Amino acid sequence: MGKEGRMAKLNLDYYSGDNQYSDGDIEEEILRIASNGLSLDELEKAKFPVLYHLSPVRENILNWYPFRQDACCLEIGSGCGAISGLLCRKMKKVVSVELSKRRADINFARHGHLDNLEIMVGNLNDMQFSQSFDYIVLNGVFEYAMSFTEGENPYRDFLSYVAGFLKPDGILLVAIENRLGLKYFAGAPEDHTNAYMDGLRGYPENLSVRTFSKEEWKELLGDCGLGYYRFYYPYPDYKFPCEIFTDETLKSQKYGRKTWNFTEERFELFPEQEMAAAFCKEGIMDRFANSFLIEMSNRPILREKEVLYAKLNMDRHREFAICTTIECARDEMEAVKKPLTEEAQEHIERMARTLRQESGAAKGQAGAFCLLPGRQDQEGIHYPWMAGKSLGYQAEQAILKKDASAVKRMVSHVFEQLIEPAITQADYGTAEFCRVFGEARLVQERT
């Protein structure tokens, strides 16, 4: 889309001409990519800064969050627009503040077609707004408050200042690393200083960045009068989360599964996944989660339902990018599957059509797999919550116990009930199948 068709507003009224924060010349490459309308999938290779700023996985930090659609949002430190587009899709109006003109240009190149976005370039402390906000979002920004806020208590002062832009019942959302994150004990360097154990030791001699433990956050919230709050635990961290946990689901949904790692210089002082399992069993994982997403307000946070867990698949092909959440409303729980992209809506529709079909031969057979009943609405597909141990969990436990016969029984059962019938009915050689899953290689005879 040409500049004449862009509908977002790039506000330079507070821009001083000074760009203090930058990843260097790589941002010129990112601007070129964004200006040409290219997505990450269209790039042959991508350096980490390009991946960090342009990856759709960045949206996972909030693409599950139940924002009010009629809301106005202030995004502080929007950078290259990693979540600006998401916020615009979720809410009525978004004002994104960014200190760096070059990063603001990248954001505008990516999202300039959105008529509900205003990008303001400059220092937040110099800005005036004509309105208060329903939501304020700081995604990877708060840790630097001491760099741009003077005084003996820069983090308390900055948090109080930012909260002053909220409506009386507004909500402030802060995504940040946990100073006591388990990965730091396990051998990962501190995210900002790249020094080992730096945050664990309280950032000695560092005068530019800070992160906080859960108890330190509670003290900070109390000092700022933000008495109503809720902690979420993004995993593996807030930058590239694939799961969102709460205190209710840290144990039941198994925090700490193996996932991607973008940290090059990392030791393995102990197996992080095994330690996470032990911490979950002891009920202390919330203190050692790698990152926090903290929801805070001056008033009670009221809504019809709470999201207790989210599994996010933005790393899939856009046609299959869906979210699975566990939600609670009026003491009733349900699982919900919803699309994360427009392209994935058809995938949800296919799932809904399958729900409406008869389960056929599986009906009435002892031990047969049956479709879980569900209902579809504009949000997605809602399933009743079922407590118990999944087949995957049972298989994992059998593997840990080295019970080969139990594993073989489970695999055979799944093959006989689900895979074998599908092999006779489906054509795995089609171009469409190969495009999504790769070339099919099927075993013709069972041994």
Side-chain angles (χ1 to χ4, degrees):
M1 180 181 294
K3 290 184 178 180
E4 66 280 1
R6 300 194 172 191
M7 302 176 70
K9 180 179 180 181
L10 185 62
N11 187 332
L12 301 178
D13 292 348
Y14 299 95
Y15 178 52
S16 65
D18 189 14
N19 293 293
Q20 300 177 358
Y21 194 82
S22 172
D23 281 334
D25 292 339
I26 191 67
E27 290 185 0
E28 291 296 335
E29 180 180 343
I30 298 173
L31 178 59
R32 177 187 60 78
I33 293 169
S35 298
N36 290 328
L38 299 175
S39 68
L40 200 61
D41 293 338
E42 296 174 286
L43 304 179
E44 189 172 326
K45 291 183 179 179
K47 298 177 182 178
F48 180 77
V50 177
L51 173 70
Y52 177 75
H53 289 296
L54 299 184
S55 172
V57 176
R58 296 287 308 281
E59 293 188 350
N60 284 351
I61 189 61
L62 287 171
N63 58 12
W64 56 274
Y65 186 83
F67 290 106
R68 298 202 321 268
Q69 291 184 347
D70 63 343
C72 295
C73 175
L74 174 63
E75 181 190 15
I76 298 175
S78 55
C80 299
I83 65 170
S84 299
L86 165 72
L87 297 175
C88 288
R89 295 195 300 271
K90 290 281 188 177
M91 288 177 279
K92 182 179 180 180
K93 173 69 177 178
V94 176
V95 177
S96 293
V97 174
E98 173 53 42
L99 186 62
S100 163
K101 170 66 162 53
R102 183 159 53 179
R103 290 191 173 190
D105 286 339
I106 295 171
N107 192 358
F108 189 73
R110 298 176 68 184
H111 303 118
H113 61 284
L114 300 176
D115 61 359
N116 61 338
L117 174 64
E118 179 178 4
I119 303 170
M120 299 181 66
V121 185
N123 192 319
L124 175 71
N125 296 321
D126 300 328
M127 295 180 180
Q128 295 182 349
F129 303 100
S130 60
Q131 64 185 102
S132 298
F133 297 91
D134 300 287
Y135 297 96
I136 297 177
V137 175
L138 290 89
N139 186 37
V141 174
F142 187 76
E143 52 264 47
Y144 297 103
M146 66 189 306
S147 300
F148 48 76
T149 304
E150 298 180 355
E152 295 183 1
N153 296 288
Y155 291 94
R156 182 199 63 190
D157 295 344
F158 180 66
L159 191 63
S160 296
Y161 177 66
V162 168
F165 295 123
L166 286 171
K167 293 181 179 179
D169 61 346
I171 293 174
L172 175 58
L173 293 161
V174 176
I176 188 172
E177 295 89 349
N178 176 12
R179 185 173 69 82
L180 302 182
L182 184 59
K183 69 178 184 180
Y184 301 129
F185 289 95
E190 207 281 338
D191 287 60
H192 308 92
T193 67
N194 205 38
Y196 298 100
M197 310 292 176
D198 211 14
L200 302 180
R201 295 185 297 132
Y203 299 96
E205 301 179 2
N206 186 293
L207 300 177
S208 61
V209 68
R210 287 286 185 279
T211 60
F212 304 90
S213 68
K214 187 173 182 179
E215 281 303 312
E216 289 167 341
W217 262 109
K218 287 182 177 180
E219 293 176 6
L220 188 58
L221 294 171
D223 291 343
C224 296
L226 295 165
Y228 300 92
Y229 53 82
R230 181 174 178 83
F231 282 81
Y232 298 91
Y233 310 100
Y235 182 80
D237 56 31
Y238 81 87
K239 298 184 184 73
F240 294 98
C242 56
E243 295 177 276
I244 305 292
F245 295 83
T246 58
D247 290 301
E248 293 88 345
T249 56
L250 269 175
K251 185 175 182 179
S252 64
Q253 296 304 310
K254 194 178 178 183
Y255 179 98
R257 294 179 177 88
K258 286 189 176 181
T259 184
W260 46 66
N261 169 47
F262 296 116
T263 305
E264 290 186 78
E265 300 175 359
R266 178 171 181 168
F267 295 106
E268 188 179 18
L269 302 181
F270 56 79
E272 186 178 337
Q273 287 75 30
E274 293 179 16
M275 188 64 76
F279 281 13
C280 286
K281 186 175 182 179
E282 294 296 323
I284 58 173
M285 191 63 243
D286 62 311
R287 308 288 166 165
F288 299 98
N290 290 332
S291 289
F292 299 131
L293 172 66
I294 312 162
E295 176 188 58
M296 57 195 83
S297 181
N298 292 302
R299 294 186 181 181
I301 301 172
L302 304 175
R303 51 184 164 238
E304 293 184 357
K305 63 181 178 182
E306 292 289 346
V307 177
L308 305 182
Y309 170 80
K311 177 70 173 70
L312 308 145
N313 296 308
M314 277 299 287
D315 54 331
R316 294 180 179 175
H317 192 286
R318 289 183 62 85
E319 294 177 8
F320 303 98
I322 66 171
C323 169
T324 301
T325 58
I326 299 173
E327 303 180 3
C328 183
R330 296 180 294 277
D331 296 325
E332 293 186 4
M333 292 177 62
E334 64 178 5
V336 185
K337 289 187 178 291
K338 59 194 80 173
L340 293 175
T341 64
E342 292 183 6
E343 295 91 329
Q345 182 62 47
E346 176 55 30
H347 185 48
I348 293 294
E349 292 294 336
R350 284 195 298 270
M351 295 173 66
R353 288 195 293 271
T354 301
L355 277 178
R356 294 190 288 267
Q357 295 173 356
E358 294 292 330
S359 55
K363 278 192 171 183
Q365 294 183 12
F369 290 97
C370 299
L371 292 174
L372 188 66
R375 62 178 178 84
Q376 184 186 20
D377 62 13
Q378 292 182 343
E379 184 181 23
I381 304 175
H382 301 250
Y383 298 92
W385 174 249
M386 297 184 66
K389 297 177 180 178
S390 69
L391 187 63
Y393 176 83
Q394 295 177 55
E396 181 183 30
Q397 294 303 304
I399 292 170
L400 292 175
K401 295 176 181 178
K402 298 183 179 180
D403 187 348
S405 61
V407 175
K408 185 176 180 180
R409 283 196 304 272
M410 285 184 246
V411 172
S412 296
H413 187 53
V414 172
F415 185 88
E416 292 169 0
Q417 293 292 325
L418 296 179
I419 300 176
E420 193 169 41
I423 289 176
T424 63
Q425 298 171 12
D427 182 359
Y428 290 95
T430 65
E432 180 66 12
F433 180 90
C434 295
R435 183 183 68 81
V436 177
F437 298 104
E439 184 179 349
R441 293 183 178 88
L442 299 178
V443 176
Q444 297 300 321
E445 296 182 2
R446 294 175 60 193
T447 56

